[in-house]
Amino acid sequence: MKKGKVGVFLICVSVLVMGWCMSLSSAAFFDKQQSRLGRKSKLPVGSTSSLELNRVGSSVVFPLHGNVYPIGSYNVTLNIGQPPKPYFLDPDTGSDLTWLQCDAPCVHCTATHHPLYKPSNDLVACKDPICVSLYSPGSHRCPDPEQCDYEVEYADGGSSLGVLVRDSFSLNFTNGLQLKPRLALGCGYDQVPGISYHPIDGVLGLGRGKSSIVSQLYSQGLVGNVIGHCLSGRGGGYLFFGNDLYDPSRITWTQMSHEHSKHYSPGLAELIFGGKSTGFKDLFTVFDTGSSYTYLNSQAYEALTVWIKNELNGKPFKEASDDRTLPLCWKGRKPFKSIRDVKKYFKPLVLIFSDGGRHKTQYELPPEAYLLISAKGNVCLGILNGTEIGLGNFNLIGDISMQDKLVIYDNEKQVMGWVSANCDQQPKSSGFSIR
């Protein structure tokens, strides 16, 4: 369906699972839906005001479920509504808007794990800053001032169309408080599944825009504008909002790109293969949890596959053309059980980022960060050709290459960082487990 919105094109990218998005103008379908939603109303009696919620200064941690293969995605459970009900959402750093498949009623909805979300009667107005942020500059229009329509399209052909509402999110903070802030989300009443479709209740937008959940929590004074995730290579892991769960002195930090402020990007990277420069020094790179796999532009991808094939010459491998798990797989004399069986035959990759000065940072990809063992017992390359699916010269670091690393996006300081970590152990304080 990874990983936007209304108005003219606002490119956001997502691949395979969720990811990058682009916005298109949306029909005012909800003109006919007011008997279900009602018009925008005040907060219900008993809800917590923003003044009461301010300055909590704590974090929220969410367990993650799923894996890169064979499930093809990670998901997080959020409790939304009054009374709160659980929903499985796909966490996506490649897009901003959080949305749920919604009974408004639903025109087209795909299979979900839970009953469809019943929307609140608290519509987000068209001129609300969150609604305005969904549009490209100069394209914001308000055919119906009292509601905000959206349409999200993903790179795999999936989409969601709906209207923005506000509802309660039940959150347990690390300081022991349990709060129910009201946040804006999309009520998606018309979904089209993409080629990488898997059953989900919705998408958790974790991008850098105003509509992202962490941006909204930050604006209410509840958490620092920081997102962190740790995807376990064994499946599961955790996601958190806030800045009090890690020791910043132990993280490798780099500046976020100022030229591409819509994405979590350290900028241009040099690709190193087996300790040697490949000659590719200007790879614009984006970190995107909405993508299961990693993508390089066609030139870098084709060169990489040639180097890997040359390294495997004379080794006990044969291309497995009958394995359709991924475009490039190899079989051995007998089925492989784990990456440990093949790791010694593959060289590590490194991406070197420069912030424009002398400061350089390295992002290391050992073989387990770009290979997987298929159900047939073959080893497959989890790096794919991004140009073939419309990414142009964009290069995505997907879930497979973020496994067993704590990755942090600090939107306040405009930096991002990473460190190898034990993602099976959920943090309770800054003393997380580093490898």
Side-chain angles (χ1 to χ4, degrees), residues 10 42 52 66 75 80 86 136 141 160 180 253 295 319 366 368 374 383 393 416 422:
L10 193 185
K42 296 181 180 179
E52 292 176 87
N75 67 75
I80 302 170
S136 297
R141 302 288 184 271
S160 174
K180 295 183 178 182
W253 295 103
Y295 289 79
E319 282 194 38
E368 55 267 34
S374 74
I383 298 177
N393 286 319
M416 54 189 297
N422 178 6

Side-chain angles (χ1 to χ4, degrees), residues 246-253 408 413 418-419 430 432 434:
Y246 57 90
D247 180 354
S249 68
R250 304 173 81 176
I251 310 294
T252 298
W253 295 103
I408 298 170
K413 298 179 180 178
W418 48 80
V419 64
S430 60
F432 63 89
I434 296 180

Side-chain angles (χ1 to χ4, degrees), residues 11 121 215 241 251 306 353 421:
I11 294 184
N121 65 349
S215 294
F241 305 155
I251 310 294
V306 169
F353 299 100

Side-chain angles (χ1 to χ4, degrees), residues 27-88:
F29 176 89
F30 263 69
D31 284 346
K32 301 177 182 179
Q33 306 298 325
Q34 298 307 322
S35 61
R36 174 63 62 91
L37 278 175
R39 291 294 179 179
K40 184 174 180 180
S41 64
K42 296 181 180 179
L43 297 184
V45 176
S47 64
T48 311
S49 74
S50 59
L51 289 177
E52 292 176 87
L53 297 177
N54 275 344
R55 300 181 185 85
V56 171
S58 186
S59 296
V60 188
V61 183
F62 308 92
L64 290 172
H65 304 280
N67 55 43
V68 171
Y69 181 82
I71 294 176
S73 69
Y74 291 85
N75 67 75
V76 61
T77 302
L78 263 68
N79 293 294
I80 302 170
Q82 293 181 316
K85 296 180 180 178
Y87 299 97
F88 294 162

Side-chain angles (χ1 to χ4, degrees), residues 52 92 110 128 143 146 190 192 207 238 298 318 324 373 375 422:
E52 292 176 87
D92 178 22
T110 60
D128 188 290
E146 295 194 44
D190 194 348
V192 175
Y238 60 86
S298 58
K318 180 181 178 182
R324 303 298 178 86
I373 303 299
N422 178 6

Side-chain angles (χ1 to χ4, degrees), residues 222-280:
L222 297 181
V223 297
N225 197 350
V226 178
I227 296 167
H229 58 73
C230 206
L231 310 177
S232 174
R234 291 153 296 284
Y238 60 86
L239 167 76
F240 65 83
F241 305 155
N243 55 8
D244 64 346
L245 291 176
Y246 57 90
D247 180 354
S249 68
R250 304 173 81 176
I251 310 294
T252 298
W253 295 103
T254 189
Q255 291 286 329
M256 291 185 192
S257 171
H258 298 298
E259 296 179 13
H260 297 83
S261 59
K262 295 186 186 306
H263 311 300
Y264 289 119
S265 170
L268 302 179
E270 178 181 4
L271 179 62
I272 306 296
F273 177 73
K276 298 180 181 179
S277 176
T278 63
F280 292 96

